[in-house]
Amino acid sequence: MGDPVWIEHVVFPLVLMGMTTLAGVAVYRLAARWIDRKHDRQVLEMQRASDPDVAGLGARVDALEGVVGRIQELEERLDFAERLLTSQRAHDRLLR
């Protein structure tokens, strides 16, 4: 096993292949991390760009909910006024 030719032709190439593989894995991991960070930045930029739209839609939904509540209140008042007028007319008919 101590033969210099064997070490030079077998051991050194195996060590170099292992080191090359480790270096390749390190480069791959760096590239993958860089791509992930770039993707995350793009997603954050898209979210920030859509935030005003979402906030605007939320404000519009809140305003519409307020209008719906106001309409329901007005419907109740109209129903009450109609019942009051109907009962007053019926009362006037009874008095005649």
Side-chain angles (χ1 to χ4, degrees):
M1 280 247 161
D3 187 20
V5 174
W6 187 80
I7 292 174
E8 184 179 331
H9 292 289
V10 176
V11 175
F12 284 155
L14 286 176
V15 170
L16 287 175
M17 283 190 286
M19 289 175 62
T20 304
T21 302
L22 289 175
V25 168
V27 169
Y28 170 78
R29 290 182 70 191
L30 283 173
R33 190 178 314 159
W34 179 76
I35 291 170
D36 285 343
R37 287 181 180 172
K38 184 177 179 181
H39 179 264
D40 290 344
R41 282 192 303 267
Q42 289 174 345
V43 168
L44 284 175
E45 288 174 8
M46 288 172 44
Q47 287 176 347
R48 286 183 189 139
S50 66
D51 281 345
D53 297 337
V54 171
L57 290 176
R60 290 179 70 184
V61 167
D62 291 340
L64 287 174
E65 288 175 349
V67 169
V68 167
R70 179 84 172 126
I71 290 173
Q72 289 173 344
E73 181 183 330
L74 290 172
E75 285 176 345
E76 290 175 6
R77 288 181 179 188
L78 181 63
D79 288 342
F80 176 76
E82 287 174 346
R83 285 193 306 267
L84 188 63
L85 283 173
T86 305
S87 67
Q88 188 175 6
R89 286 182 186 161
H91 180 70
D92 288 345
R93 285 185 194 155
L94 288 177
L95 292 179
R96 289 186 192 175

